[in-house]
Amino acid sequence: MKMWSGRFRKPLDPAFEKWQRSFGFDHRLLAYEVEASGAHARGLKSAGILTSDELISILKGLEEIGKRGAEDTNFLEDDEAEDVHHFVEKQLVAILGDTGYKLHSGRSRNEQIATDLRLFVRATIDQLTTEISEWLTVLLERAERAGNSAMPAYTHLQRAEPVLVAHWLLAYLEMFLRDAGRIADCRKRLNECPLGSGAVAGATLTLDRRTMARDLEFDRPTLNSMDATSDRDFVLEFANSLSMIGIHLSRWAEEMILFSTQEFNFVQLPESYSTGSSAMPQKKNADLLELTRAKAARLIGNSTALTVTLKGLPLAYNKDLQEMQVPLFEAADTLLFLFPLIVGFMNEVEFNYERMQAAAESSFMNAWAAATYLVQHGVPFRLAHEQIGKAVQIAIEKHCELQDLSLDELRELNPAFAQDFYSCLTLQSVLEIHDVPGGTAPRRVKHAIADAKLRLASLREEIHANA
Ligand code: ARG
């Protein structure tokens, strides 16, 4: 039986009927639908609508439906169910007869879908946070293993200054820690229970909303029925955070692709995460990284589709909202599948420390440090900059580095140059002068690693607390 056929004289056009159904995708909300329906059933019992016996049989029926749904995919083949809510009602009636129809007393699918989606996003945030913490763990491990190895840092993709390899990896760690924070914020805001909001104006029975909310581990009931049934800002917030994660992953992937080229040769791609060419026998291609870069585009697409769907919808529920499920599921799956792969990749990728170090020691990346030497001797920075610029020009002409210029050559530019200038130009001292919190001086990076460990530990505690 349909959930709404009474007022209709004619059946639906069969093609339209099929087309408007959502069960083909919202069946993945079954576990949440069952859970939320249990809370509603208990609410109905407290409101005197269900007897104890009816409640017990409805809860049993729901449990069975949930179990079959999890174990048997054939169970979910249903050409009649309009959506997951209709499916559960149909199944319940198949088990209990007309008592099954009592479950829908005082509720609307509009509050149900809002509740199911909040439960889905909350659970996905928890899963994803675990995945991110694994990723952060491997980034941190690689940073520690890199010790004091150096590499060039780039601005405008031109060699700029040397940094520790660990410092570079920790830059990504910061991004993903913020991403974890963003979805944790989203979790806090979405954790309110729409049950009892009805179709738009609130339930028509006096249901104990606080108990239903507590039952589903929500912090509290939502405060406005129109908002609760029609907003999906939590979906947008979540999907936007996911596209941010995609952007971070894509930048990481792009750097790894560049660094794995013969031109850079900083990293060796792991064979287990690369593919070959059907034509060119010598090729080893960075497919995992390239697909990661492209997945970011998909994530941005999903979050754009969600944003545009919600924009312009009058209050309250509109069927347009049904279209928000697929992009949401797709975005969640994209990252849930991707993270374990890049963790595996990051465990295996090899860094060519010697190449990186050699690159860090050339191309005048000590020029700013050289200008700083003059500043320490009282030279105004702009003039020091100009004079070191001249020194660089001379060195380029002579095909050498700054440290290969003689004191006489340097003194022509500024008499302040002395023998100790050369010790300021070594890679070690160039790294060391970046001695500020957040800088790449080795002692600062050591501190940053220790600090990252603490923050990762508290993220793990958070995961534990929500489990
Ligand atoms: N399948 C619907 C959705 O995903 C459930 C809500 C239907 N509500 C309605 N008034 N037709 O949005």
Side-chain angles (χ1 to χ4, degrees), residues 243-289:
S243 74
M244 190 80 238
I245 294 174
I247 290 164
H248 288 152
L249 286 174
S250 182
R251 296 188 75 179
W252 165 80
E254 171 64 11
E255 281 209 296
M256 294 302 275
I257 291 168
L258 275 176
F259 290 173
S260 70
T261 59
Q262 267 96 330
E263 283 68 18
F264 276 86
N265 194 14
F266 287 175
V267 307
Q268 205 71 263
L269 295 175
E271 290 190 6
S272 43
Y273 294 96
S274 309
T275 63
S277 154
S278 62
M280 297 165 281
Q282 84 284 10
K283 291 295 293 292
K284 182 169 70 168
N285 295 328
D287 290 31
L288 170 67
L289 300 167

Side-chain angles (χ1 to χ4, degrees), residues 86-332:
H86 185 208
F87 176 77
V88 170
E89 181 173 281
K90 275 182 64 193
Q91 293 298 333
L92 204 57
V93 169
I95 300 171
L96 302 178
D98 280 357
T99 307
Y101 286 129
K102 287 200 167 187
L103 177 62
H104 208 60
S105 315
R107 74 171 181 177
S108 154
R109 286 184 292 166
N110 298 353
E111 64 181 299
Q112 285 171 256
I113 188 63
T115 306
D116 294 356
L117 287 176
R118 280 174 195 249
L119 291 172
F120 169 81
V121 174
R122 189 177 73 182
T124 309
I125 286 174
D126 292 345
Q127 282 171 288
L128 207 50
T129 308
T130 304
E131 298 301 337
I132 295 174
S133 79
E134 298 293 320
W135 171 238
L136 291 167
T137 304
V138 71
L139 282 174
L140 193 54
E141 263 168 31
R142 296 308 309 247
E144 262 196 299
R145 265 163 64 188
N148 279 346
S149 305
M151 66 185 286
Y154 299 82
T155 63
H156 314 267
L157 203 52
Q158 305 288 334
R159 285 187 188 172
E161 290 189 279
V163 290
L164 290 192
V165 173
H167 195 60
W168 166 62
L169 291 169
L170 289 178
Y172 284 104
L173 182 123
E174 290 302 327
M175 295 174 222
F176 291 102
L177 269 170
R178 281 197 299 281
D179 290 333
R182 254 183 284 275
I183 56 176
D185 283 350
C186 172
R187 191 190 197 284
K188 276 182 212 135
R189 261 187 297 281
L190 71 75
N191 207 26
E192 296 183 344
C193 184
L195 287 194
S197 297
V200 58
T204 50
L205 296 170
T206 46
L207 297 169
D208 178 355
R209 296 196 60 212
R210 283 229 244 146
T211 304
M212 292 194 293
R214 208 173 316 125
D215 237 9
L216 297 171
E217 291 179 41
F218 283 114
D219 295 331
R220 62 193 80 84
T222 50
L223 291 176
N224 181 291
S225 60
M226 296 180 79
D227 172 49
T229 50
S230 71
D231 205 358
R232 295 291 184 270
D233 57 2
F234 63 97
V235 174
L236 256 57
E237 230 181 304
F238 176 65
N240 288 343
S241 304
L242 264 47
S243 74
M244 190 80 238
I245 294 174
I247 290 164
H248 288 152
L249 286 174
S250 182
R251 296 188 75 179
W252 165 80
E254 171 64 11
E255 281 209 296
M256 294 302 275
I257 291 168
L258 275 176
F259 290 173
S260 70
T261 59
Q262 267 96 330
E263 283 68 18
F264 276 86
N265 194 14
F266 287 175
V267 307
Q268 205 71 263
L269 295 175
E271 290 190 6
S272 43
Y273 294 96
S274 309
T275 63
S277 154
S278 62
M280 297 165 281
Q282 84 284 10
K283 291 295 293 292
K284 182 169 70 168
N285 295 328
D287 290 31
L288 170 67
L289 300 167
E290 291 168 349
L291 287 173
T292 299
R293 204 167 48 183
K295 294 290 180 194
R298 299 273 299 264
L299 289 167
I300 295 165
N302 290 328
S303 108
T304 306
L306 292 167
T307 308
V308 182
T309 306
L310 195 59
K311 170 197 163 297
L313 287 189
L315 296 191
Y317 178 84
N318 298 269
K319 190 77 168 227
D320 312 44
L321 295 174
Q322 182 171 287
E323 284 295 303
M324 294 182 72
Q325 292 182 34
V326 172
L328 167 66
F329 297 155
E330 210 178 275

